[in-house]
Amino acid sequence: MNPKNLFTKKGSVILILLLLCLIGIQFIRPRLNNPPVTADLDAPPEVKQIIERACYDCHSNKSKLAWFDQPAPAYWLVRNHILEGRQALNFSEWDKLSKDQQKGILYESVNQALFKEMPLKQYLLLHPGSEITDKDIAILKNYLDTLAPPKVKPDTSATIRNNASIVTNVRPSLNGIPYNAEYRNWEAISSTERFDNGTLRVILGNEIAVKAIKEQHINPWPDGAQFAKVAWAGTIDPEGNVHTGDFKQVEFMIKDSHKYASTEGWGFARWRGMQLQPYGKTALFTTECTNCHKPMRDNDFVFTEPLRLATK
Ligand code: HEC
Ligand code: HEC
């Protein structure tokens, strides 16, 4: 609208109609409750303070709306963020998560903050006080370090070297990816310290992957980035130390957005057992991989949170 027109008859009619609309939509106000807090996040005060300030508006049952969040249509948007946010993560229902899940979601939270995914950008524009600073990140990470379970140090080199020296002629995987024993020299980016089903896993990244982590270019990962995930049977001795047992399998993800476009931009491959048998019956074994990795689509299909390395 040309501002001059505002003063014409037609202009004022339009303005009045707009105003009436704005007033009208204020009556469309779906409810937004703050349900009772069943169990609040359990963390030291300096940690909790950060999360309360930056995350509680959307991830708790203690959402506080600012005056500018009240009028529709802003209200509708904010309400949606809160409902979706609570569904993804609710610090007021902390007891609904197991200890491991709590730890996992805290790791994920710090990663989200580290990569500026959270708090949501639109929210930060209006709530600049909620920004997560580098100092906050440092405090959060220190806390995570205290949560870490005892370090698992599988003897990657020995086990895999033994294994590779026995098997000489490893067949390529059924989708044509050749076996690459080079991964033994890659850097461990996460010894998935969690271990269930009695297996113990280490995730290694090649040079391109490690560089991408350091430069925080990991979503999407650059072409050429590769991961290997190695699994052994795990055992715990009476002192609580974890040892690696028999080698179970090694699997790879190789990023090439063109070559592997049909499998989400990653070449998947897996070899099993001491004999390094290619996994699967046909080349379509990759459907299994992509299906299970799909929930991580917003993370370029990668599960591992390379938190520790990113902060070195
Ligand atoms: C303005 C609302 C808002 C704020 C503030 C906010 N979040 Fe979120 N958060 C969301 C919404 C909406 C989702 C679900 C959709 C999505 O993943 O984008 C979400 C999802 C998440 C998830 C799950 C991500 C996933 O992949 O499922 C984590 C973890 C998270 N937020 C952490 C945080 C942390 C940590 C903070 C504070 C530093 C924070 N959020 C602040 C709205 C918010
Ligand atoms: C049942 C679900 C599931 C299936 C099926 C699956 N993965 Fe994974 N994958 C995971 C999870 C979960 C992780 C994260 C690390 C962990 O917890 O062990 C992971 C991690 C990986 C990693 C390390 C990089 C990352 O994303 O963290 C590679 C490499 C990998 N998987 C390859 C494969 C290949 C190859 C296949 C198919 C042959 C496959 N995966 C099938 C669940 C699955």
Side-chain angles (χ1 to χ4, degrees):
M1 214 183 323
N2 182 333
K4 253 198 244 156
N5 292 345
L6 285 181
F7 303 104
T8 66
K9 216 167 167 192
K10 199 168 149 206
S12 24
V13 170
I14 291 175
L15 251 189
I16 288 167
L17 278 178
L18 270 178
L19 259 174
L20 285 178
C21 269
L22 254 180
I23 294 168
I25 64 173
Q26 300 313 315
F27 293 96
I28 309 173
R29 251 188 124 68
R31 280 170 68 89
L32 178 67
N33 291 331
N34 267 335
V37 175
T38 60
D40 204 14
L41 164 69
D42 180 23
E46 70 275 15
V47 170
K48 207 162 153 176
Q49 206 186 333
I50 297 168
I51 295 179
E52 277 175 345
R53 170 173 57 79
C55 322
Y56 264 42
D57 272 349
C58 300
H59 291 294
S60 80
N61 295 341
K62 299 190 203 165
S63 310
K64 288 197 200 85
L65 296 198
W67 63 266
F68 47 78
D69 294 326
Q70 297 287 356
Y75 174 79
W76 302 338
L77 188 75
V78 171
R79 179 176 175 276
N80 263 347
H81 282 160
I82 294 176
L83 294 180
E84 273 179 42
R86 279 180 189 160
Q87 202 152 26
L89 159 62
N90 192 336
F91 289 111
S92 297
E93 296 173 2
W94 203 229
D95 55 344
K96 290 205 175 141
L97 303 175
S98 72
K99 282 268 174 279
D100 277 345
Q101 285 172 322
Q102 292 174 353
K103 221 180 289 172
I105 201 105
L106 281 176
Y107 268 93
E108 195 183 338
S109 291
V110 176
N111 262 320
Q112 297 266 341
L114 190 65
F115 296 115
K116 308 254 179 251
E117 296 288 330
M118 286 287 151
L120 294 179
K121 291 201 177 65
Q122 296 141 290
Y123 172 83
L124 277 182
L125 284 179
L126 290 171
H127 304 82
S130 298
E131 195 172 357
I132 295 270
T133 63
D134 290 346
K135 205 174 138 215
D136 295 335
I137 293 276
I139 294 173
L140 295 174
K141 276 202 292 223
N142 272 342
Y143 173 56
L144 284 187
D145 276 343
T146 68
L147 292 184
K151 266 265 171 292
V152 171
K153 285 213 182 70
D155 187 0
T156 349
S157 45
T159 333
I160 307 171
R161 219 155 269 145
N162 279 341
N163 185 43
S165 60
I166 302 167
V167 190
T168 46
N169 248 333
V170 184
R171 280 183 294 135
S173 74
L174 293 167
N175 52 345
I177 296 177
Y179 179 71
N180 177 9
E182 199 42 43
Y183 76 90
R184 293 169 291 155
N185 303 321
W186 295 353
E187 195 165 334
I189 56 174
S190 152
S191 64
T192 42
E193 291 145 340
R194 337 162 187 158
F195 81 113
D196 45 287
N197 317 332
T199 59
L200 192 61
R201 296 166 293 204
V202 176
I203 290 162
L204 308 140
N206 73 351
E207 227 168 90
I208 298 178
V210 169
K211 183 160 174 274
I213 293 167
K214 288 194 172 131
E215 293 170 357
Q216 300 196 7
H217 289 147
I218 63 171
N219 200 356
W221 291 86
D223 279 357
Q226 298 194 31
F227 300 105
K229 178 173 148 189
V230 198
W232 297 266
T235 50
I236 302 188
D237 69 17
E239 279 87 53
N241 298 313
V242 181
H243 298 283
T244 54
D246 285 349
F247 171 89
K248 290 203 148 171
Q249 67 173 25
V250 56
E251 55 189 352
F252 292 85
M253 285 171 70
I254 303 167
K255 178 82 187 198
D256 188 325
S257 40
H258 296 288
K259 193 166 170 191
Y260 301 121
S262 64
T263 47
E264 319 288 10
W266 292 94
F268 288 89
R270 176 189 283 170
W271 287 268
R272 302 199 91 164
M274 298 297 278
Q275 295 307 316
L276 294 170
Q277 288 287 340
Y279 175 78
K281 293 208 168 72
T282 69
L284 284 178
F285 75 90
T286 52
T287 314
E288 204 183 296
C289 319
T290 49
N291 275 346
C292 200
H293 278 248
K294 209 163 261 167
M296 301 310 289
R297 64 173 79 75
D298 292 341
N299 210 26
D300 200 9
F301 300 90
V302 172
F303 278 97
T304 298
E305 308 274 6
L307 179 67
R308 281 157 201 280
L309 199 73
T311 63
K312 259 189 209 159

